[in-house]
Amino acid sequence: MSIRDKRLFLEDLTVSFDGFKALNNLTLYVEPGELLCVIGPNGAGKTTMMDVITGKTRPNAGKAWFGNEANLLQLTEAEIVAAGIARKFQKPTVFEQLTVEENLELALPGSKTFLAALRAVVTRSQQERIDEVLEITGLTEQRRLDARILAHGQKQWLEIGMLLMQNPELLLVDEPVAGMTPHEIERTAELLRSLAGEHSVVVVEHDMHFVRSIARRVVVLHEGQVIAEGDMDKVQKDPRVIEVYLGV
Ligand SMILES: Nc1ncnc2c1ncn2[C@@H]1O[C@H](COP(=O)(O)OP(=O)(O)O)[C@@H](O)[C@H]1O
Ligand SMILES: [Mg+2]
């Protein structure tokens, strides 16, 4: 398999914490424009995998490449962001006292200070990108509202919108629908599906109904390794997956 046709290339990754292997020879590829779901029991290594991709944790062994240009193991966390990898953590980190639109302005690319960014004049192309992201995230009507009054789901979409301001090639999303209403979950599924194609998206999630609604390909992690992969029907029938994860 050639490295060139993959967007993300993780091979034989091992991460040890005091001898305990959080990742154990993990090998996984992400295609350009793919929406990949990663599932697995607590402690399987899902968050550790994202930590390695984003440079927060360095593996003891293995390779991690972003396309064939960027060796992620040699880049700093900031360089990895600049290379086009964005990560959404579970807890939204929007600025509550600013409007939806101001939050997106602050997330425009460029290394300005907070105050400089707030005072900066938005160019026409930047405004177009803001309008586009408001549309994508379904927040156009809320653009002038303070983020603090948004519903939980809307805050999550705003944070995804802030990541989109950087136009990342790869978006990592950890448990996006935790705490959402069924309607918000459905909207989140639509949002992530609409991002695939343009971006590669890797979603870690426990909500199997949600995973089924978005994923073409699902990878199941257990004890730091891939134990199954394929479409949802295939992995749900896998005896090993039922034993360690779905059977409980
Ligand atoms: N910084 C750390 N120090 C020690 N152990 C850790 C650390 N981070 C994660 N682990 C352990 O590694 C394993 C995998 O954790 P994690 O990647 O968070 O799993 P998941 O996200 O799939 O629930 C767990 O057993 C966890 O306790
Ligand atoms: Mg986790």
Side-chain angles (χ1 to χ4, degrees):
M1 196 178 296
S2 158
I3 176 171
R4 280 171 192 79
D5 48 13
K6 304 295 172 203
R7 187 60 274 193
L8 182 72
F9 178 94
L10 306 178
E11 194 165 76
D12 297 325
L13 283 177
T14 296
V15 171
S16 297
F17 295 115
D18 300 324
F20 171 81
K21 288 182 176 170
L23 297 183
N24 188 2
N25 270 302
L26 176 76
T27 294
L28 187 154
Y29 306 99
V30 181
E31 308 283 343
E34 177 177 22
L35 202 176
L36 174 72
C37 284
V38 178
I39 64 174
N42 283 328
K46 304 180 296 294
T47 298
T48 303
M49 178 190 80
M50 291 198 173
D51 290 344
V52 170
I53 297 168
T54 54
K56 191 174 171 215
T57 295
R58 299 298 177 180
N60 303 78
K63 295 179 191 162
W65 282 77
F66 188 48
N68 53 2
E69 317 85 44
N71 179 354
L72 297 175
L73 304 187
Q74 288 180 352
L75 300 182
T76 65
E77 287 181 68
E79 286 167 344
I80 290 170
V81 171
I85 298 181
R87 176 182 193 175
K88 190 198 166 310
F89 289 91
Q90 218 178 309
K91 202 167 168 283
T93 51
V94 301
F95 296 99
E96 302 266 333
Q97 72 283 17
L98 299 180
T99 67
V100 167
E101 186 156 5
E102 285 167 341
N103 269 280
L104 294 179
E105 281 173 28
L106 275 183
L108 281 164
S111 51
K112 286 168 289 191
T113 65
F114 183 83
L115 275 178
L118 271 186
R119 289 183 192 133
V121 175
V122 175
T123 67
R124 179 185 286 205
S125 71
Q126 288 174 331
Q127 188 59 52
E128 279 168 6
R129 181 64 184 153
I130 290 170
D131 292 346
E132 197 171 64
V133 169
L134 286 168
E135 231 15 75
I136 293 168
T137 52
L139 293 171
T140 303
E141 281 176 31
Q142 287 77 23
R143 67 196 300 161
R144 299 195 209 296
L145 298 182
D146 283 357
R148 78 190 139 79
I149 66 171
L150 295 178
H152 171 71
Q154 292 173 324
K155 274 186 199 169
Q156 299 281 350
W157 303 330
L158 174 55
E159 199 181 14
I160 291 173
M162 291 168 76
L163 298 176
L164 292 176
M165 294 307 297
Q166 312 269 344
N167 220 348
E169 284 184 60
L170 172 65
L171 197 60
L172 307 173
V173 193
D174 206 348
E175 302 196 19
V177 303
M180 283 191 181
T181 65
H183 180 68
E184 289 174 330
I185 292 174
E186 179 50 40
R187 281 284 301 117
T188 304
E190 282 168 22
L191 171 57
L192 294 177
R193 276 196 304 252
S194 77
L195 296 177
E198 194 92 358
H199 313 259
S200 298
V201 185
V202 177
V203 180
V204 166
E205 187 48 70
H206 283 293
D207 184 322
M208 284 306 120
H209 177 73
F210 174 77
V211 170
R212 172 176 286 284
S213 75
I214 61 170
R216 293 237 176 81
R217 190 163 72 100
V218 178
V219 165
V220 186
L221 248 58
H222 176 54
E223 295 178 344
Q225 287 185 319
V226 174
I227 60 161
E229 84 164 87
D231 64 26
M232 196 61 183
D233 287 328
K234 183 180 167 202
V235 301
Q236 276 190 318
K237 282 186 208 129
D238 187 297
R240 190 84 204 283
V241 176
I242 293 169
E243 184 195 326
V244 304
Y245 186 46
L246 298 173
V248 288

